[in-house]
Structures are given as C-alpha cells and as structure tokens.
Amino acid sequence: MKKIPVGILGATGVVGQRFAQLLDNHPWFEVTVLTGSERNAGKPYGETCNWRIPGDPPAAMSSLPVLPTTADLPVKLVFSALPSPIAREWEPRLAQAGLAVCSNAAAFRNEPDVPLIIPEVNAEHIDLIPQQQERLGWKGFIVTSPNCTTTTAVMPLKPLHDAYHIEQVFITSLQAFSGAGYPGLSALDIQDNVIPYIAGEEEKMELETRILLSKYDPMRQLPDETIQVSAQANRVPVIDGHTVCLSVKFREKPDIAAISGLLTGYRGAEIVRQLPSAPVHPIIVRDEIDRPQPRRDRDTDHGMAATVGRIRPCPILDLRFVSVIHNAIRGAAGGAILNAELLAARGYLE
Ligand code: NAP
C-alpha cells in the first residue's frame, strides 16, 4: 500500500512532538510536512524543535523544514496540534482547500456536524462528515478528538453506559502538567502543589462526555440530555498521565461484581480493532488496591489503553472507580492518529 502523505500542524509543541514520534514508520501515513509558528519557519525540524519527550526527533523528519501554516500544504491529511485560537483560523481554511483535518484543538469540538470521536466509543459518528461538507461546501472536513481528561473518563464510561445507562457522573481530575503544553506552568507554581482550577476544563468534560455518549443521529451530534455530569479539574505535579476519580449513578442497578469483566471485555467496533494503533484491550483493569497510577500505568499498550482500578460501590451513587490515560498519547496525538486510521479504513481519505 502506498503511504498517504500527511502533515503535522504545530509540530514543535508537546502534542506535535508526540505526533512526530508516533507517526515515525507508521504503516499507512508518511509525514512530509511540518508546520510551526512564524518564528521557526524555514529552520530544519531537528534543529528548531526543543525536543521534550523521551528519545530524539525522528531521523526521517529532522531535516524537513518547519513551514508556516498555509492553506495549500501538499498533503491529503493534516494532524492539528495548534493552539485553539490558531486552529479556529486555519482548520476551516485547510478543510475548504480539500484537506482532511484531524484536530486535537477545542476550536470545533462542539459543532453539531463536526464529529467528536473516540473510535472505540462512537466510531459511527464519523458519518456526519458528508453533512458537514454539504453545509459548508467543503471538499475536505474536520474531525476532532476530545479533551484529554474527557477521554480518560469516557473510555471506561462507554461500556457502563451501554450496560446500565448512566444518569449522573461526578468527575474529579488530577491532571498532568504536560497537558498545559510547553513551557506550561512555572515550577514555582506546580512543584509541591495542587492547583484546583484549569480554565475551561470542567465545562469541556461536562459537555464532551455527553456528546460522546450520545446515540448516533445522521443529522447532528448533540449532548445526551439524559446524562448529568459534574466535573472538578485539578492540575497536579505529574509530568504525563491524567487521573480521574468517578462516581456514577445508573438508570438500572449495576452488578458491581460484573463491572471488571465488562470493562476488560470491551473492544469497540470490529473495524476499530483492526486499526494499526488500536490497543488490544482499550480498557485494562488493575486489581491492586493502589492502582492505577500515572507513572506506572500511562504507557500501557503504547500509551493507548485506559487503565482502571479501585472499582467499588459508591455509598451515595452506584459505583466508584479511577481511570488513568497518557494525556499526550491516548488523550491527544495517539487518539487523533486512531481517528485518521478510522477515516482511512472507512474510505474518507480516498
Ligand atoms: P504547545 O506545547 O504550546 O504547542 C503549540 C504549538 O503550536 C507550538 O509548538 C507553536 O509553535 C505552534 N504554533 C503556534 N502558532 C502556529 C501556527 N500559526 N502554525 C503552526 N504552528 C503554530 O501546546 P500543546 O500542549 O502541544 O497543545 C496543542 C493543542 O493540542 C492545543 O489545542 C491543546 O489544547 C491540545 N491538546 C493538548 C493536550 C496535551 O496533553 N498537551 C491534550 C489534548 C489536546 P512554536 O514552538 O513555534 O511557538
């Protein structure tokens, strides 16, 4: 199979570097374009990129020049790791020019015909693309990935919702500081500390959870009105790996003893299981009393699985548990790459 040429927008940032790392030697995609802000334009990626993650910049990309973001990039697909205001400006221009845009930014996540996707959760929502193209007259399209903390909660919530129908969820997050991008927070702020506020994060978790768990409607993607979500977001001194503590109330009484098997056995749609970046088990359950932990569990299945533990009854609602994912892999670059693989498998990149 001839590889599809792709670009990374915002390739020098925390998520952009993860894209570069995960797309190196990808079986379907080949990175031929990298973009950065004007101040880095023209310089070789390997020299200008302040590499902040383990390993080195991929050799195949090191000599590629960092380009400014323009609408005429010579690729079929771009992965966007742009800051949201920049994404709002450029992603529509690229989609209008005929490119497929797989975005990590929040800019278009809540548009009713821009699919917000976690492939194991709502792969069928991808079929809103023709609706989006018709409304906007675009040859290309935008598909978005959720906020990284929403992904941490929704991966295990999905099989529970399918089995018992979720009515209420309380989510308390303990979020890694790589989630704030580079350079992010000052060490004087985050070391030895917990910051109980992250701008916009609670609203994103509350809305996106309800969108992702909504039933597929071919005309629009709207939040499920039967689910209530209350979220509290905290930034903690962890480099990578978001943790969420959840309490959930269901319409039907859950069988608590069956929850672990329900989560472990969850696979998502058949087409998703065949994708190259799909984890074998999207949800891993740990039985140890003190797991999951971000440092020990974030890299499970190449950083693509959610690790769940502390499954137990809730004395006020029905069920409590804890979930951990790698925010920059499953919650960002890896999630968007899985979305793109789904697009390719479904024929949207032809
Ligand atoms: P970041 O580290 O601040 O990186 C942003 C990058 O965008 C920088 O490298 C910057 O380049 C580049 N940029 C700015 N203007 C540009 C332009 N006009 N064209 C091309 N590149 C441009 O932020 P991040 O954490 O990687 O986040 C990127 C996006 O992903 C954000 O929308 C964020 O909300 C979302 N996201 C992040 C995470 C996470 O865990 N970090 C998770 C999910 C979603 P310079 O280096 O030249 O300034």
Side-chain angles (χ1 to χ4, degrees):
M1 178 178 150
K2 199 169 175 304
K3 290 192 186 184
I4 299 169
V6 303
I8 305 171
L9 312 179
T12 50
V14 165
V15 176
Q17 293 182 17
R18 287 285 173 189
F19 271 123
Q21 187 180 58
L22 297 172
L23 289 167
D24 189 32
N25 295 317
H26 190 280
W28 297 357
F29 306 132
E30 182 178 6
V31 176
T32 56
V33 165
L34 301 165
T35 82
S37 65
E38 291 289 345
R39 72 188 167 92
N40 283 320
K43 300 173 193 159
Y45 184 63
E47 280 175 32
T48 194
C49 181
N50 188 359
W51 195 254
R52 290 281 152 191
I53 58 176
D56 294 309
M61 296 172 215
S62 279
S63 58
L64 289 180
V66 173
L67 303 175
T69 304
T70 57
D72 57 354
L73 299 174
V75 287
K76 175 73 199 156
L77 164 71
V78 285
F79 293 99
S80 171
L82 294 172
S84 210
I86 316 278
R88 183 161 286 285
E89 178 188 348
W90 281 106
E91 290 178 2
R93 292 195 205 176
L94 289 151
Q96 192 171 21
L99 275 68
V101 180
C102 282
S103 179
N104 270 307
F108 296 100
R109 279 187 198 143
N110 306 330
E111 299 291 325
D113 53 14
V114 175
L116 176 71
I117 301 283
I118 299 173
E120 293 94 334
V121 169
N122 63 339
E124 66 280 11
H125 289 212
I126 213 110
D127 290 323
L128 285 162
I129 289 171
Q131 185 76 15
Q132 180 194 139
Q133 290 175 310
E134 195 181 315
R135 175 174 68 90
L136 297 161
W138 291 349
K139 288 188 287 231
F141 54 83
I142 302 173
V143 166
T144 57
S145 306
N147 165 275
C148 38
T149 321
T150 307
T151 302
T152 319
V154 170
M155 286 183 65
L157 286 177
K158 168 66 177 168
L160 301 176
H161 186 54
D162 287 351
Y164 303 115
H165 194 102
I166 293 168
E167 288 189 335
Q168 293 180 331
V169 194
F170 288 94
I171 308 174
T172 302
S173 74
L174 307 155
Q175 299 181 219
F177 56 83
S178 66
Y182 186 81
L185 291 86
S186 154
L188 276 178
D189 289 327
I190 193 63
Q191 282 286 18
D192 185 31
N193 207 5
V194 171
I195 298 173
Y197 173 71
I198 307 173
E201 206 77 357
E202 293 172 354
E203 294 80 358
K204 287 176 193 165
M205 280 188 264
E206 289 173 359
L207 183 60
E208 293 172 19
T209 298
R210 294 161 62 229
I211 294 175
L212 287 155
L213 294 178
S214 67
K215 279 209 172 59
Y216 175 60
D217 173 340
M219 301 306 287
R220 64 190 79 80
Q221 192 184 37
L222 296 175
D224 186 326
E225 297 294 341
T226 68
I227 304 173
Q228 292 178 299
V229 184
S230 171
Q232 299 195 68
N234 300 283
R235 189 72 76 192
V236 297
V238 166
I239 295 176
D240 287 317
H242 286 355
T243 302
V244 294
C245 303
L246 302 109
S247 288
V248 192
K249 179 174 185 285
F250 300 98
R251 184 184 292 164
E252 289 155 43
K253 254 314 166 250
D255 175 0
I256 303 284
I259 299 288
S260 175
L262 193 66
L263 296 176
T264 307
Y266 189 69
R267 291 288 183 280
E270 177 61 35
I271 189 168
V272 176
R273 294 179 217 166
Q274 311 301 328
L275 302 177
S277 301
V280 178
H281 295 272
I283 304 163
I284 304 289
V285 175
R286 303 290 314 206
D287 295 325
E288 301 92 323
I289 198 67
D290 60 353
R291 300 285 279 273
Q293 300 173 11
R295 185 148 49 88
R296 298 173 77 184
D297 296 310
R298 64 193 169 207
D299 293 322
T300 305
D301 208 334
H302 311 284
M304 289 298 284
T307 305
V308 169
R310 304 229 56 221
I311 299 169
R312 62 214 192 279
C314 171
I316 299 176
L317 305 184
D318 290 315
L319 176 75
R320 289 179 287 183
F321 61 93
V322 179
S323 174
V324 163
I325 65 161
H326 196 303
N327 55 294
I329 301 179
R330 181 73 220 207
I337 292 169
L338 197 61
N339 283 354
E341 292 171 359
L342 177 63
L343 289 169
R346 288 289 321 280
Y348 280 111
L349 298 182
E350 282 157 16

